[in-house]
Amino acid sequence: MEGLFIRSVAAVALSAAIAARAYKRLSLDLSGAILGFLVMAIHIAAGYRFGALLLVFFFTSSKLTKIGQEKKRLLEEDFKEGGQRNWVQVLANSAIATVLVVVVSAMTRGHGMCLDTKKSDVVTALIGGIIGHYACCNGDTWSSEIGILSKAQPLLVTNFKIVRRGTNGAVTLDGLLAAAAAGFVVGLSYVVTALLTAECASDVAWRQLLVIPIATAAGLLGSLIDSFLGATLQFSGYCNVRKKSGVNEGGE
């Protein structure tokens, strides 16, 4: 219990500092910063490895959002300086994982546990769900932020026809490679923090490395699924006056 208390105190302090910094740098608006604080505190208090997953996703996606802002301003109708996100976007990217984190913490009573089906199939599956969630979210964000800057002509994921930049469902090779890299980073961050902080028997420690290729695939798959949904369910308009496409939700 002492370890859980210390981790909870650290979670509150660290989350408050990060949320304040994100608000100051326009990565989050006030509502996003408040909800982001709560989500971060829950993740870190539940386990440092869960906090690492969330923070890797948040910091890397925020950094990439600010790259090439001049070009993105010209292409994106909903462009926001600094990529400022509100509470709705924070909730959309963290709600499922937060629920799973709370369930895992309750089932393990706050004790760190490596992925080990021999100990618990359920806990292993839940942790896998958390990793997969952030791998997909990170993959989608990286692919969108990097893909739209690609010099290659984007293709619609459903029929591979050439479309305008910013079109929902458009993909580029750069964007897809970025999605895989995003999943890789999420998987690597989990493995490193899990091996350092979780209770992991020597005979199963090496198996944690399998998370990396699986998370890499999840990052790519998450981007492709989002692109498919964007191509089939979302409207893609283009304004001839402003020379801008609609919201870019695909894997371009």
Side-chain angles (χ1 to χ4, degrees), residues 37-152:
F37 161 74
L38 294 174
V39 170
M40 278 187 278
I42 291 171
H43 276 65
I44 298 172
Y48 292 118
R49 59 213 163 122
F50 304 132
L53 291 174
L54 173 61
L55 293 178
V56 163
F57 164 59
F58 174 68
F59 282 125
T60 60
S61 60
S62 296
K63 186 69 175 178
L64 286 177
T65 298
K66 296 179 181 180
I67 294 176
Q69 288 195 101
E70 290 305 316
K71 184 174 182 180
K72 292 173 182 176
R73 183 182 286 108
L74 296 174
L75 294 171
E76 298 177 352
E77 181 67 26
D78 66 332
F79 175 83
K80 291 182 180 179
E81 195 69 37
Q84 196 174 49
R85 292 170 169 82
N86 57 31
W87 72 272
V88 175
Q89 291 162 308
V90 172
L91 187 67
N93 285 310
S94 63
I96 295 175
T98 301
V99 171
L100 295 180
V101 162
V102 171
V103 173
V104 169
S105 182
M107 292 184 67
T108 60
R109 297 182 180 180
H111 294 295
M113 175 181 158
C114 270
L115 295 167
D116 186 0
T117 54
K118 291 183 179 179
K119 283 189 175 182
S120 175
D121 289 335
V122 176
V123 172
T124 297
L126 292 173
I127 295 175
I130 298 167
I131 299 170
H133 173 89
Y134 284 115
C136 289
C137 289
N138 212 33
D140 176 45
T141 302
W142 281 38
S143 64
S144 294
E145 299 298 340
I146 292 179
I148 198 169
L149 299 176
S150 175
K151 294 180 180 179

Side-chain angles (χ1 to χ4, degrees), residues 200-242:
C200 199
S202 58
D203 61 329
V204 298
W206 67 271
R207 297 180 194 169
Q208 310 307 301
L209 295 175
L210 294 174
V211 169
I212 297 176
I214 294 174
T216 301
L220 178 59
L221 183 61
S223 175
L224 288 172
I225 291 174
D226 184 79
S227 295
F228 180 79
L229 293 176
T232 56
L233 300 179
Q234 289 182 299
F235 170 75
S236 292
Y238 183 79
C239 179
N240 289 314
V241 176
R242 303 181 68 181

